[in-house]
Amino acid sequence: ILTTHVGSLIRPPELQAFLRKKQAGEPFDHAAYDQCLRDSVTAVVQRQAEAGAFTDVIYSLSAGVFLIAADGSIAHANARAREILALNNLLRAVGGRLATVDPRGNPALRDALVAAALGDAAIGGKGTALPLMSLDGTCHVIHVLPLGASARRAAFGAAAAAVFVAKAAFEA
């Protein structure tokens, strides 16, 4: 049975035009409306599936992953990221924003997050990596990846940047 929940999903402009005509009692092409409805539902469900796949990946990573909104607030954190915050040894949340425990690291982190929020051109599509030492002397790498103007952002909604946190691995 084909069912739709278009009322609760994003409505593309093409579908909105049909719905306005339908609500106003104006004539419209029913076959074109049906096709537009099917296409719209398929597209929205596809985007939701892609976002779900990205979410599954984020939760499966051993690195801490924070999604940062354009205003700098923490929009999401996976389990490892929440553990990192709870340890209060490397990163912390201050007013809902990501900060380093050692205040000397904050300017670089803040600059990277601002650049990421401005988009790929400001920080580079590959992002930036910041070395950071925890209070116990363990070396970490914080990788800030912009999510602007790309398919990545569509999957993560309001997030403007992804911040990956992992212990640094040194080769002997």
Side-chain angles (χ1 to χ4, degrees):
I1 300 173
L2 178 62
T3 61
T4 66
H5 300 283
V6 172
S8 62
L9 298 176
I10 297 167
R11 297 177 190 172
E14 309 82 41
L15 181 58
Q16 290 179 26
F18 278 115
L19 294 174
R20 279 192 295 276
K21 286 183 178 184
K22 188 174 179 179
Q23 286 180 328
E26 296 175 12
F28 63 93
D29 182 337
H30 289 273
Y33 166 74
D34 289 344
Q35 185 61 49
C36 181
L37 181 61
R38 280 192 296 276
D39 292 347
S40 297
V41 169
T42 300
V44 169
V45 169
Q46 178 65 34
R47 282 194 301 264
Q48 289 178 333
E50 289 168 359
F54 283 123
T55 301
D56 290 345
V57 168
I58 286 173
Y59 277 106
S60 69
L61 293 175
S62 60
V65 181
F66 296 91
L67 298 180
I68 307 296
D71 68 0
S73 62
I74 299 170
H76 182 76
N78 72 356
R80 179 64 186 129
R82 290 191 301 274
E83 290 173 13
I84 290 168
L85 291 177
L87 290 171
N88 200 31
N89 186 31
L90 180 70
L91 297 171
R92 59 192 175 125
V94 177
R97 299 178 192 285
L98 194 61
T100 62
V101 172
D102 181 347
R104 295 175 294 179
N106 281 325
L109 178 59
R110 183 179 54 248
D111 290 348
L113 291 174
V114 167
L118 293 174
D120 291 349
I123 194 171
K126 294 182 180 178
T128 190
L130 306 171
L132 189 64
M133 190 172 294
S134 63
L135 295 179
D136 67 6
T138 306
C139 294
H140 292 78
V141 175
I142 298 175
H143 192 88
V144 180
L145 178 70
L147 298 178
S150 70
R152 294 174 295 206
R153 183 141 190 192
F156 295 118
V163 176
F164 298 84
V165 183
K167 287 184 181 178
F170 299 101
E171 293 183 14

